[in-house]
Amino acid sequence: MTTGIDFGTTNSVVAQWNGDDVEVLALDGEHLEDEWFYPSFEYLFPTIAGESSLRLGTLFGWEAKLRSNRVIEACKRMLGSDGGVQLRDRRISATAVAAGVFQAMRERAASSLTSIDSAVITVPANAKGGARYRTRAAARAAGIAVKTLLNEPTAAALSYMHDIQEEGTIMVFDWGGGTIDVTVLEHKDGVFEERASRGVTQLGGLEIDRRLRELIVRKIGREPELSPEERRQFELAVERTKIRLSTEESVLTRIPGSGRLIEVSRPELEEQIGRLVERALEPARMCLNDLGMDTTGITDILMIGGTSQMPCVRRAVERLMDAPTVPAEICHPMTAVARGAAIAAAIMDGELDSFLQVSSMYALGTTAKRNDDGRRFFSEIIKPRSPLPTREKKNYTPMKDHQSELKIEIWEADPDKPLNDPENFQLTTLHVCYPKPLPRSEASFTLEYTYQQDGLLHVKATLDKTGDVLVDQEISDFTHGLTLTVDQIRREMTALDGGAPRPAPPVSVPAPRPPVSPPAGKRFVVDGSNVAWLGRDARAGDSPSLEQLLGAVAALKEQHPGCEVDVIVDAALAHQVSPEERRELEQCIRTGVVAQVPAGTEGKADRLVVTLAERKDAVIVSNDSFKELQDEFPWFLAPGRMLGVSNVGGEWVFLERRPVRARRPGTGGR
Ligand code: ADP
Ligand code: MG
């Protein structure tokens, strides 16, 4: 599947290209509790891990957010330097926690019958080299091949421009959970160029939550006495109050412990955070200033991120820019970035006839020593913001005669800053041996860097005098200092399961592209209740299994690539499966994975299965013979109209079957 992932610091979102359009996945909606069911929240996967005293292993997504005693915000920590996080009695890298988040998203996708094997992943525009490499390594450790890393504002603009199809100068005002980032991009001749980007870290939704908490405590009269558990509940109640105040005029907040209700109105919150909103406008002013541009130079203003949904924020931006912002119905603050990433993936896969220019962010090069003072400096080979793929080379000479070995350091850095600037990033060191020691004059070599669109770097060094190749390799694992190898991350990930080893997911080779439209005849209508009951006996007290049904449907899709499948179940099924599966089934119904026949439908699901199959000219998948319907729909008695379902030793087998003919009155044996 062609996938885009917005790997946000607070929430992640996954979208897929389905051949015609982008679908945002309701990946974790089943774990969303009713009181968190705000518009579009079903698409969010909180980018966090958590521990619960009630559960073994690590929680992710909404479960981590709503049900854990301790929350670990992996991604945010990864963005600085990965100093590691404490998980129960162990310390593991935040990159491994992030890999766990990717893995959890991948597993949730698999249970909604889709797969994430490769993806375009977005990163904040200001993410430094280390964060980029860590994001890539985390995804790879979870078995996701990274097609390319795309900057969030570019992805948002791509999503918007996919619908609007115009050229212009776009301002992306992205105010999320932890930071605010403003970027101005130019969209011309199909190319997006980031022209200016400014941000404020530590100014996000969390800051607003803190101010709202202060306001509520003021109204209570004193700091409430809360247990650790209640403290977490209070934090969540404050965040919910804030979110509701974006659409409601006033909200009652229940204080955990005492159960007191405190009323907060929208004007009160707006007054409380007025200064924060004012500060949030600063990066927008700075971007315009950097470009020597006034507000009229901007053609479109995109409001991205959860915090930008607050009405006072939109108003403040419109006041500053003296222009309307693009409405949320056209560019959705929570999903536009993931949508743009999926569109980018579709373009890269050739599924969408469009053009996408990916550029490097930073300069790539090596270190060299100055002749005069012997000081080390960064020697640039590939310029920052080079369109990818690109290939560049440069010539170097060793410092001493007769060196038998060379150490070539590979760096991503800013050529205008000293080498030891914390934002510069050493990827690795290559150890290179000369075929034989040579005098300096004969030992010069050419270093050639090839930087691919997917962000992989290939390094080749050739001895100038003889043409001997000294090194020729891809830099895929970054073993220096800050970054772990994929194998190291996978080993650390076992700690997430509470110590139980987990099999390493294979890093998949991109699958052959599925056909855009299903080949004629490859349409199936699955009799879901029949498959869920397969091999189970109601009289013996068995229940049907949704897991079994979803497994069979996944196998059917795998055995018939590109096919179209409708799954129909009886209204009764939701009451027959286990309570855990019931939630999952409701989720499948909400997301359209499964269709449920309204209670009271004549002929129950059988009639809908057969009617739909007739209308769609589809093959019915069922072991039932629909005897009552044979007279009415004689077509399904013909060969090739039905597949039977069996599970043999865990393997799903679908074989053509002819339904058993109903006995007609008067034709019986007696
Ligand atoms: P990030 O980009 O940092 O991953 P998001 O864009 O998902 O984050 O924004 C998350 C933040 O937005 C959280 O602080 C959340 O409380 C806040 N948020 C989400 N929806 C709303 C809303 N409707 N009104 C106000 N704040 C919101
Ligand atoms: Mg975001």
Side-chain angles (χ1 to χ4, degrees):
M1 258 300 199
T2 300
T3 307
I5 304 178
D6 166 8
F7 192 61
T9 47
T10 317
N11 295 302
S12 295
V13 181
V14 178
Q16 291 188 321
W17 179 257
N18 67 12
D20 288 320
D21 201 0
V22 194
E23 264 171 52
V24 184
L25 306 188
L27 209 54
D28 199 29
E30 67 184 281
H31 294 123
L32 193 57
E33 290 172 4
D34 288 347
E35 50 184 2
W36 282 88
F37 229 103
Y38 304 114
S40 78
F41 270 48
E42 69 273 27
Y43 300 126
L44 307 182
F45 188 87
T47 315
I48 51 178
E51 289 169 33
S52 161
S53 47
L54 304 173
R55 295 267 288 273
L56 202 67
T58 308
L59 308 180
F60 294 100
W62 282 109
E63 280 195 298
K65 172 146 182 149
L66 303 179
R67 291 181 209 155
S68 55
N69 308 112
R70 202 172 78 84
V71 163
I72 306 162
E73 284 150 311
C75 185
K76 208 172 295 172
R77 284 159 211 262
M78 234 170 54
L79 289 179
S81 60
D82 187 350
V85 296
Q86 194 69 30
L87 186 80
R88 286 179 286 272
D89 54 347
R90 283 185 62 173
R91 206 164 170 81
I92 72 166
S93 68
T95 310
V97 179
V101 174
F102 275 116
Q103 169 119 328
M105 290 199 278
R106 206 170 164 225
E107 284 166 2
R108 303 283 204 279
S111 70
S112 335
L113 305 184
T114 182
S115 57
I116 307 177
D117 296 328
S118 69
V120 168
I121 299 181
T122 61
V123 285
N126 55 15
K128 296 297 173 305
R132 287 168 194 270
Y133 283 101
R134 280 188 280 269
T135 303
R136 182 192 307 280
R140 279 177 58 117
I144 301 174
V146 183
K147 280 191 214 290
T148 195
L149 295 177
L150 189 67
N151 281 353
E152 286 168 7
T154 305
L158 192 58
S159 165
Y160 173 60
M161 285 302 174
H162 176 73
D163 300 330
I164 302 295
Q165 308 275 344
E166 266 177 17
E167 303 201 325
T169 304
I170 308 158
M171 176 178 276
V172 179
F173 184 94
D174 182 353
W175 201 2
T179 62
I180 171 155
D181 294 294
V182 181
T183 307
V184 175
L185 300 112
E186 188 132 35
H187 178 234
K188 208 169 166 206
D189 302 329
V191 178
F192 291 91
E193 192 196 343
E194 282 172 23
R195 300 210 32 222
S197 190
R198 292 285 195 152
V200 185
T201 52
Q202 273 141 29
L203 179 60
L206 281 177
E207 206 60 39
I208 294 178
D209 293 348
R210 206 164 299 140
R211 301 296 162 95
L212 176 57
R213 188 186 192 283
E214 283 168 16
L215 173 67
I216 293 174
V217 168
R218 233 182 12 249
K219 288 190 167 217
I220 299 173
R222 64 187 163 84
E223 183 68 37
E225 281 173 26
L226 302 172
S227 66
E229 165 90 353
E230 287 166 346
R231 214 169 298 140
R232 176 77 190 136
Q233 290 313 315
F234 190 32
E235 268 172 32
L236 292 172
V238 168
E239 187 184 353
R240 265 198 325 267
T241 304
K242 170 190 75 176
I243 292 167
R244 286 179 54 188
L245 284 171
S246 288
T247 47
E248 295 169 47
E249 283 305 318
S250 115
V251 169
L252 287 173
T253 309
R254 186 178 296 279
I255 312 302
S258 69
R260 250 182 89 179
L261 287 172
I262 298 290
E263 182 171 18
V264 184
S265 72
R266 191 191 293 167
E268 284 172 322
L269 172 63
E270 289 181 350
E271 195 194 325
Q272 178 80 0
I273 61 165
R275 295 257 290 281
L276 288 184
V277 176
E278 203 42 51
R279 266 177 64 203
L281 299 177
E282 205 42 40
R285 286 198 190 93
M286 285 159 85
C287 279
L288 293 176
N289 198 36
D290 289 347
L291 296 170
M293 189 187 260
D294 70 13
T295 54
T296 56
I298 303 289
T299 50
D300 306 83
I301 307 161
L302 305 186
M303 300 296 285
I304 301 295
T307 307
S308 77
Q309 303 206 60
M310 300 185 76
C312 63
V313 174
R314 210 175 256 276
R315 276 201 316 271
V317 172
E318 293 185 338
R319 208 179 324 111
L320 171 76
M321 301 300 292
D322 194 22
T325 51
V326 173
E329 301 78 61
I330 299 180
C331 181
H332 198 278
M334 306 305 268
T335 54
V337 171
R339 223 179 148 256
I343 290 167
I347 295 172
M348 292 178 81
D349 279 359
E351 292 212 12
L352 194 56
D353 183 21
S354 190
F355 174 73
L356 177 71
Q357 181 65 65
V358 182
S359 303
S360 67
M361 280 302 284
Y362 298 92
L364 282 163
T366 187
T367 49
K369 276 188 188 158
R370 271 185 238 286
N371 282 333
D372 46 359
D373 58 5
R375 296 251 309 260
R376 272 172 11 113
F377 68 100
F378 172 67
S379 166
E380 176 183 283
I381 298 178
I382 291 178
K383 286 197 195 49
R385 298 183 185 277
S386 298
L388 301 184
T390 183
R391 175 173 295 159
E392 296 291 341
K393 47 187 158 188
K394 214 166 182 174
N395 219 255
Y396 297 90
T397 306
M399 293 294 282
K400 296 186 201 127
D401 283 326
H402 306 297
Q403 269 183 240
S404 57
E405 200 197 73
L406 279 178
K407 279 193 198 120
I408 303 177
E409 294 184 0
I410 315 289
W411 281 73
E412 195 183 71
D414 182 340
D416 297 331
K417 290 189 173 149
L419 188 63
N420 62 2
D421 187 280
E423 291 182 4
N424 291 343
F425 186 71
Q426 181 178 354
L427 304 179
T428 193
T429 305
L430 299 180
H431 294 267
V432 175
C433 292
Y434 275 103
K436 61 175 190 205
L438 294 167
R440 275 192 73 207
S441 56
E442 294 177 27
S444 77
F445 63 95
T446 299
L447 196 55
E448 180 183 272
Y449 280 17
T450 307
Y451 201 20
Q452 308 287 1
Q453 206 175 27
D454 59 10
L456 288 184
L457 177 67
H458 193 102
V459 176
K460 186 173 177 184
T462 317
L463 198 57
D464 293 330
K465 194 173 162 62
T466 61
D468 281 343
V469 175
L470 302 176
V471 69
D472 188 6
Q473 78 175 73
E474 191 167 271
I475 312 295
S476 51
D477 279 339
F478 305 96
T479 45
H480 190 84
L482 300 174
T483 314
L484 301 167
T485 66
V486 165
D487 284 339
Q488 283 169 320
I489 298 170
R490 285 201 186 133
R491 272 198 298 280
E492 288 199 355
M493 282 168 80
T494 58
L496 299 171
D497 296 338
R502 78 160 57 209
V507 173
S508 42
V509 191
R513 235 187 316 138
V516 171
S517 57
K522 286 288 175 66
R523 292 203 167 101
F524 298 103
V525 177
V526 176
D527 179 2
S529 301
N530 181 267
V531 178
W533 273 109
L534 185 72
R536 288 150 202 274
D537 185 352
R539 282 161 304 185
D542 293 347
S543 345
S545 161
L546 175 66
E547 191 187 347
Q548 171 168 304
L549 169 60
L550 297 179
V553 172
L556 182 69
K557 286 189 174 170
E558 207 176 290
Q559 292 171 27
H560 298 272
C563 69
E564 188 186 294
V565 181
D566 290 291
V567 184
I568 313 265
V569 299
D570 278 323
L573 193 72
H575 305 282
Q576 296 161 336
V577 293
S578 68
E580 301 82 62
E581 286 209 328
R582 180 173 180 174
R583 288 195 71 148
E584 198 178 340
L585 177 57
E586 283 164 355
Q587 174 63 18
C588 288
I589 292 168
R590 259 205 308 276
T591 52
V593 173
V594 170
Q596 178 181 282
V597 184
T601 304
E602 195 192 329
K604 297 206 195 120
D606 294 359
R607 176 174 291 275
L608 183 60
V609 167
V610 179
T611 308
L612 188 68
E614 181 175 42
R615 193 165 303 164
K616 289 197 162 184
D617 194 17
V619 173
I620 298 171
V621 180
S622 177
N623 292 349
D624 192 352
S625 293
F626 306 109
K627 287 187 181 159
E628 289 78 29
L629 299 168
Q630 291 183 3
D631 280 345
E632 198 180 334
F633 300 92
W635 61 268
F636 75 79
L637 299 170
R641 285 303 185 175
M642 228 177 176
L643 286 184
V645 192
S646 334
N647 190 296
V648 188
E651 191 71 32
W652 287 103
V653 183
F654 303 92
L655 293 179
E656 192 179 328
R657 71 180 276 267
R658 301 280 293 276
V660 180
R661 295 294 283 264
R663 274 198 198 158
R664 288 168 195 285
T667 58
R670 238 186 299 167

